[in-house]
Amino acid sequence: MRPIAHYILLLLVGLLLGSCSVSRYLPPNESLYVGGSVKVEPDSAARNQVSGLEDQLEGLLRPNPNKTLFGFPYKVWLYYVIGEPKRENGFRSWFRNKLGEPPVFVTPRIVATNSQIMEAYMGNIGYFRSTATGQLVDKKNQTAKAEYTAFVKPRYYINEINFVVHDSSEFSKNLLESEKKTLLRVNDPYRFEIIEAERQRIDQFLKTKGYYYFSPDYLIMEVDSTIGEHKVNLYLQPKLTTPQTALKQYYINEIYVYADYDAPSPDTLPSLSRLRRGLHIVDKERTFKPRIFDDAIGFQTGMRYNSEMHDVSLSRLTNLRNFKFVKNRFELIPRSDSALLNVYYYLTPLQKKSLRTELSGVTKSNNLAGTQVSLTWSNRNAFRGAEQLRLTSNVGLDFQVGGGSRNLGNDFVRFNNQGELSFPRFLIPFFKYDPVANQALPKTILTAAYETLRQKGLYTQTSARTQWGYVWQRNSEVEHSLTPFGINLIRPTNITEAFVDSIFTSKNPQDILRFLRITENRLILESLYTISYHPTPKPYTRHRFLLNGGINLAGNLAGLIVRNGREDSEVRGQIFDIPYEQFARFDGEVRYYLDLSPKMRLANRFIGGLGIPYGNSLALPQFKQYFGGGSTGIRAFRARTLGPGAYQADSVTRSIFGNNSFGDIRLEANTELRFDITSIIEGAAFVDAGNIWNYRNDENGYHGPESVFTKEFYKQIAVGGGVGLRLDFTYLVLRLDLATPFRKPWYTRLPNKENAWVFDEFNFRSKAWRQENLVLNIAVAYPF
């Protein structure tokens, strides 16, 4: 670390010395623009109405000053130091454009332009007749800053909202109907952007009623601010100049689909089309079965135009993943009284087969990172019905990163071969799918896989599994996934002698039980259902939340079959001499995000999980259990070192199994304050709390009674917190979180500890304390 620190110190010294020399590069009589500030001077009646207004106005200021590091315009310095390139496409030119940036100079127009922009903005958010002024202030080293003052009048609020119609036509009735879901609210402040959003919303609503040629520009909002008490009445109505074509409802006439759009004038080829349920399909090579277009396109002859069905149909065709381009257009039948539209879909197919190789780096929630090489062969249209066939083979290495010393069993080698066949429809006997009623085409997915996982120094585990499942969406906010049948056969092999010797020389009797559990063959016959609810945020809202849930059941059918043919109920049930698992698992997750300002967000999450082993199982299978800690969990604790309950593995168990704590129950809450530092650097401060527990205590279990969930579970809650940095490169987010425990649940079992809080133990100067309690989590993407 010392050489790195020396380099950083030299860089900072260089920047500090260089800061004095930037001004010598600037042209005479020019000043470098270093930004602006805004001071708000509210009217006496507006003092309680200007919270956050300064930040909003400062966010409007343009141009943006040059980027700085500790106040030093390093990019301008590099721009001048690199010098003028001799060739436009040379290395110096590339280096100068990538690392440097031209200086932003002060001009007199800056103040006048920004003042006008701020006045317009204040008027648009209800501060009518407010004004702004500014001036340029010279600073040292040939720099200048713009300082503004905003004189703010009282804000106007909405008193009444009126939808005005001029007749009793069908259009007028539909316009009045749109008022039910208006974005405008009485007593809300006047905001022009909400009025614009309301016009867009009404336009979308009317288009669902068949008004294909309507536009938001045909609506006008009149504002009456003369009623007093700083309130306004709003009157929304169609313009008197709106053309009749925009006030008419339209219906679908003929539908044409060109499955291989490459001809310059495809509309001249209707004679080559096949007719299926009102669709004219032009597919000269018979590449696709007509059914896929019938399923994907929601329009039918005689149906009233609907913009939602318009969007859904395009989305379905795109999500078939068989077409490079999906275009469509509507054509009015040329008659003076026509209200009929012909619909044309132009599809450009993708290449049917492909072979792809990937080399990737991965990070996982359990503090493992590694690399993976994958080879994937795909057939996009396996049986002419847009079926997706993928065969994948990959090999990967995982190793522990962040969070202390590496233990035995924390390095893995993975081999995986998988085949997946996906159908863009439900494959269910006697079931009729209604394409009009659903947002997206459903999928039936058949998966078969064989995986080998070698845990270095311990053993190798093989897994052979197959699943039959369905995925569907009723709308864009809710997604369902159902796997009615899944089978997984797990076999441990290549158990090392060193692993066996360490088990039978261990002084912990539970270690032998763990060994027997993880080295036995297991069969899982399961069903799984999950649901995700991601509601679309309302325009300009500061609130957003997500819900996820799932149910996993295993062994019910196997238990019924085997029980009927088994005489001794005390003997563990087996199928083909392999014990099968029986359990029920329930999961739920809630996320809530609150935007405190344009540059600050509060992110929150709660996770609950309950696993109930029964019948043939004393506990859930380990890969179905929960673990605590890690880069996406309670970040102050290393992955799989927390719990269950107040249990803490001793050094002997950790040396044999590595970090290997799992439980049947999980409760976790996280809150994180995220704030922008620069355009690509984001800071965070966070607190995490929770733990895992066992569902029951068993004399043959791996843990003592302190691991079981009881009514006093709250005494075993672990708490930790810390700070983090996130580097947002647009295409990925690199995350560094440094955390430390605040409360250690196993302290409740120690006789010399009054409570589990550890604030009194903080000692940042102690190397031993830092090694044990400071946990660095390195990951990609946000934790939630």
Side-chain angles (χ1 to χ4, degrees), residues 287 322 349-354 378-384:
T287 305
N322 264 262
L350 285 164
Q351 186 175 352
K352 181 179 178 180
K353 299 177 182 179
S354 65
S378 300
N379 187 329
R380 301 178 186 275
N381 190 26
F383 309 116
R384 296 179 50 240

Side-chain angles (χ1 to χ4, degrees), residues 28 49 91 121 326 404 474 538 571 622 707 753:
Q49 303 174 349
F91 176 76
Y121 177 78
V326 177
R474 189 69 179 180
K538 294 182 179 180
V571 177
Q622 189 175 97
S707 69
K753 298 294 182 182

Side-chain angles (χ1 to χ4, degrees), residues 250-522:
Y250 290 86
Y251 293 82
I252 303 302
N253 185 45
E254 299 288 351
I255 305 170
Y256 297 90
V257 180
Y258 296 90
D260 189 0
Y261 174 46
D262 57 0
S265 300
D267 299 352
T268 63
L269 304 175
S271 59
L272 301 178
S273 67
R274 288 177 288 167
L275 184 64
R276 177 185 170 91
R277 299 179 61 182
L279 297 180
H280 299 272
I281 301 171
V282 180
D283 185 6
K284 293 180 292 184
E285 303 297 330
R286 302 293 177 105
T287 305
F288 300 98
K289 294 179 180 178
R291 173 180 177 173
I292 69 169
F293 304 115
D294 185 29
D295 288 346
I297 297 173
F299 285 125
Q300 297 175 6
T301 299
M303 176 187 292
R304 189 175 66 190
Y305 171 80
N306 185 314
S307 61
E308 290 182 352
M309 188 53 62
H310 179 180
D311 296 337
V312 164
S313 299
L314 291 175
S315 177
R316 290 173 181 172
L317 289 168
T318 301
N319 290 331
L320 287 174
R321 294 188 292 181
N322 264 262
F323 304 106
K324 184 187 301 184
F325 302 111
V326 177
K327 303 177 183 179
N328 88 312
R329 69 181 179 89
F330 294 82
E331 183 181 84
L332 179 64
I333 292 182
R335 292 204 311 259
S336 60
D337 60 342
S338 175
L340 299 177
L341 298 170
N342 283 341
V343 190
Y344 298 88
Y345 290 92
Y346 308 123
L347 312 175
T348 303
L350 285 164
Q351 186 175 352
K352 181 179 178 180
K353 299 177 182 179
S354 65
L355 183 65
R356 183 178 66 185
T357 303
E358 288 185 0
L359 174 63
S360 58
V362 296
T363 63
K364 300 183 178 181
S365 61
N366 55 5
N367 283 113
L368 293 179
T371 184
Q372 177 172 290
V373 179
S374 300
L375 181 66
T376 302
W377 178 85
S378 300
N379 187 329
R380 301 178 186 275
N381 190 26
F383 309 116
R384 296 179 50 240
E387 300 87 358
Q388 304 279 324
L389 174 62
R390 282 189 298 276
L391 303 177
T392 302
S393 180
N394 62 60
V395 59
L397 304 174
D398 294 338
F399 49 87
Q400 179 183 334
V401 296
S405 59
R406 294 169 60 183
N407 298 318
L408 181 68
N410 281 358
D411 294 338
F412 300 84
V413 179
R414 294 176 286 106
F415 298 93
N416 181 277
N417 295 288
Q418 177 172 302
E420 180 182 289
L421 180 60
S422 173
F423 301 85
R425 64 189 68 90
F426 280 128
L427 294 184
I428 304 177
F430 314 112
F431 178 82
K432 177 63 176 177
Y433 168 70
D434 181 8
V436 177
N438 291 271
Q439 172 72 19
L441 289 177
K443 293 182 180 179
T444 300
I445 303 174
L446 175 63
T447 305
Y450 183 81
E451 182 176 8
T452 300
L453 178 66
R454 183 166 68 88
Q455 196 167 355
K456 187 176 180 181
L458 300 183
Y459 64 99
T460 299
Q461 180 174 274
T462 64
S463 171
R465 61 182 174 87
T466 184
Q467 289 182 333
W468 185 283
Y470 305 96
V471 178
W472 72 97
Q473 289 179 269
R474 189 69 179 180
N475 54 53
S476 60
E477 297 181 339
V478 182
E479 181 174 283
H480 305 266
S481 174
L482 174 64
T483 303
F485 174 77
I487 182 170
N488 193 351
L489 175 61
I490 301 169
R491 291 179 179 271
T493 60
N494 301 327
I495 301 171
T496 65
E497 293 184 4
F499 185 28
V500 176
D501 291 342
S502 64
I503 292 294
F504 288 97
T505 58
S506 171
K507 298 179 181 179
N508 298 329
Q510 290 88 357
D511 289 345
I512 297 178
L513 296 175
R514 292 190 183 92
F515 172 78
L516 295 176
R517 176 60 172 162
I518 66 177
T519 56
E520 70 173 349
N521 298 335
R522 298 189 301 283

Side-chain angles (χ1 to χ4, degrees), residues 636-653:
F637 298 86
R638 297 172 180 89
R640 299 165 299 171
T641 62
L642 179 61
Y647 170 83
Q648 184 189 29
D650 58 27
S651 58
V652 175
T653 298

